[in-house]
Amino acid sequence: MPFGEVLSSETALRFLEEQKTVFRDRIFSPVVTLSAFIAQVLSEDHSCAWAVAQVNAERVAQGKKPCSPDTGAYCQARQRLPNDLILQLLRETGAKLHNDTLPGWLWRGRRLTLADGSTVSMPDTPENQAKFPQPASQKPGLGFPLARLVVLLSLATGGVLDMAVGPNKGKKTGEHALFRQVLGALNPGDILLADRYYCSYFLLAILRQMEVDAVFQVHASRKVDFRRGRRLGKRDHIVEWSKPARPDWMDLDAYEAMPPTLSIRETKVGGLVLVSTFLDPKEVTREELGDLYKLRWTVEVHLKFIKEIMKMDVLRGKSPDMVKKEIGVHLLACNLIRTVMAQAAERGGIIPNTISFKGALQQMDAFTDKIAHATGDGRARLLDAMLRAIAHRRIGNRPGRAEPRVVKRRPKPYPRMTEPRATARLSL
């Protein structure tokens, strides 16, 4: 397995046995397939042909009979790979990374978690369109299916704790619905940071029941009047929120179990109105709340790394099942990378978030094959050199950085597609 020190073949086999998964003794066993899949999503090529070539080269290097360079067997093995196995490995690696966070990486001894949503595109196939419809603004045959993704991340390490995937539109497909699927990854004592979309009465009530604190920006639909409530300071007060009407997604028993009111702190700092469950101004001051919420931007950066550097923004799966597996393997690979970065940070006495993600990938790409075939002192020396090199590649401190969303490089002067490709091809 790649990252054998982080995720061993034995761990993967243990999960397969727990799920009572039966498979034949073949070249592309579940462990070999998962190993090739992880290597594939980390490669610049990203193709199945590249993954098969890597497996073939490894077999020959080990003195085994080479396999066929055709991709059919590997693609079928990926389809047989249990999606539950990928999710279970993702959650276990994320939880271990989150729970093993060093004291110096915590905020006042507490773990910070981040939640956010994003979208990913995929091939325009009938199966994908049926499960993940394209946006209504795109004409039939001219657009691409779009899936919504919600992730829960550890701020200290960047590890993915859990994820949920669903259509980009339709009933019960919003970020709130998907986020409720990953709530189980939160632990008592965690602090959740998220944008204004997550600021809702019921989510705050659920988090309070879980003993999880939260800091959100106030939702645009909620009116804030600092003349009301119990004043704590300038533009800082505690107010009582009343329970709204029962939403469609909540059953009657769960609704009646919700408290009739919630004591919520509303604070204006840095031009933003923040909502939090930190009610004691001596425990967390107004300025500290503002500094805490600034850390939320980290989730945007982490998602950008996964989508752009790991190339998850445009997927290759031609069926919904493969799309979900592809997302899961990307996030699992991210956890493996983040674990190595955490090891490098621990050795270097620094915080993982100060290490360059792309720089870490470059060092791992250069060292991985050498480490895999080394033994004894040579292997330990290579590992130490790699971790030192990863810790050396740091990112700059850029507080308040803002960049315009513009593109400098001009595209080639081809016209935009206005009819399906098959139709356009007939007119040539």
Side-chain angles (χ1 to χ4, degrees), residues 187-241:
N187 299 319
D190 284 353
I191 300 172
L192 177 66
L193 307 178
D195 60 26
R196 64 175 58 187
Y197 188 77
Y198 291 80
C199 180
S200 76
Y201 181 96
F202 296 111
L203 180 54
L204 284 166
I206 292 171
L207 291 173
R208 183 163 290 181
Q209 292 172 355
M210 297 175 63
E211 300 180 18
V212 173
D213 280 308
V215 181
F216 304 146
Q217 188 179 352
V218 71
H219 197 279
S221 63
R222 183 172 289 277
K223 304 300 181 183
V224 177
D225 185 355
F226 286 102
R227 296 171 296 179
R228 298 173 53 247
R230 178 161 64 90
R231 189 174 186 272
L232 302 176
K234 184 179 179 181
R235 298 192 179 278
D236 190 6
H237 68 171
I238 295 176
V239 291
E240 295 293 322
W241 286 8

Side-chain angles (χ1 to χ4, degrees), residues 39-296:
Q40 181 183 352
V41 301
L42 290 176
S43 72
E44 285 292 324
D45 191 296
H46 255 54
S47 69
C48 291
W50 182 92
V52 173
Q54 293 296 306
V55 173
N56 202 11
E58 183 65 26
R59 287 181 60 83
V60 173
Q62 293 177 3
K64 298 179 181 178
K65 182 181 177 181
C67 64
S68 170
D70 293 335
T71 61
Y74 171 62
C75 292
Q76 291 174 17
R78 289 202 316 170
Q79 292 173 356
R80 291 192 300 268
L81 198 65
N83 201 21
D84 288 343
L85 168 67
I86 298 171
L87 282 175
Q88 201 165 359
L89 292 174
L90 167 67
R91 290 164 182 161
E92 175 158 301
T93 53
K96 188 176 189 311
L97 192 54
H98 188 54
N99 296 331
D100 291 349
T101 303
L102 296 181
W105 303 348
L106 303 177
W107 186 83
R108 296 188 177 183
R110 301 179 64 179
R111 298 179 183 89
L112 296 175
T113 54
L114 308 165
D116 202 10
S118 188
T119 57
V120 290
S121 178
M122 64 197 74
D124 185 13
T125 65
E127 296 85 356
N128 286 342
Q129 284 284 10
K131 180 66 177 179
F132 306 111
Q134 68 184 42
S137 59
Q138 297 175 338
K139 295 181 180 179
L142 304 183
F144 292 93
L146 204 62
R148 190 191 303 278
L149 169 70
V150 169
V151 295
L152 194 64
L153 293 165
S154 168
L155 181 130
T157 63
V160 181
L161 304 179
D162 205 349
M163 67 111 179
V165 182
N168 188 49
K169 62 180 181 180
K171 196 172 183 180
K172 298 182 180 181
T173 61
E175 283 188 37
H176 269 255
L178 294 176
F179 179 69
R180 289 193 294 273
Q181 298 179 30
V182 302
L183 275 172
L186 290 169
N187 299 319
D190 284 353
I191 300 172
L192 177 66
L193 307 178
D195 60 26
R196 64 175 58 187
Y197 188 77
Y198 291 80
C199 180
S200 76
Y201 181 96
F202 296 111
L203 180 54
L204 284 166
I206 292 171
L207 291 173
R208 183 163 290 181
Q209 292 172 355
M210 297 175 63
E211 300 180 18
V212 173
D213 280 308
V215 181
F216 304 146
Q217 188 179 352
V218 71
H219 197 279
S221 63
R222 183 172 289 277
K223 304 300 181 183
V224 177
D225 185 355
F226 286 102
R227 296 171 296 179
R228 298 173 53 247
R230 178 161 64 90
R231 189 174 186 272
L232 302 176
K234 184 179 179 181
R235 298 192 179 278
D236 190 6
H237 68 171
I238 295 176
V239 291
E240 295 293 322
W241 286 8
S242 299
K243 182 165 66 171
R246 181 170 67 90
D248 294 339
W249 56 267
M250 183 179 288
D251 60 49
L252 185 58
D253 291 339
Y255 179 74
E256 291 178 347
M258 290 288 171
T261 61
L262 280 179
S263 295
I264 297 295
R265 184 178 178 184
E266 296 174 342
T267 310
K268 188 169 185 179
V269 56
L272 301 176
V273 177
L274 304 181
V275 167
S276 73
T277 55
F278 291 105
L279 305 183
D280 187 352
K282 294 181 180 179
E283 178 189 0
V284 182
T285 66
R286 176 172 170 266
E287 291 74 20
E288 287 171 336
L289 276 177
D291 292 339
L292 188 59
Y293 187 73
K294 286 179 183 177
L295 298 175
R296 189 209 69 83

Side-chain angles (χ1 to χ4, degrees), residues 25 32 53 83 109 150 214 231 257 265 268 286 334-335 341-342 354 374 386 389:
D25 185 12
V32 172
N83 201 21
V150 169
R231 189 174 186 272
R265 184 178 178 184
K268 188 169 185 179
R286 176 172 170 266
C334 174
N335 278 358
M341 291 172 66
T354 63
M386 183 184 74

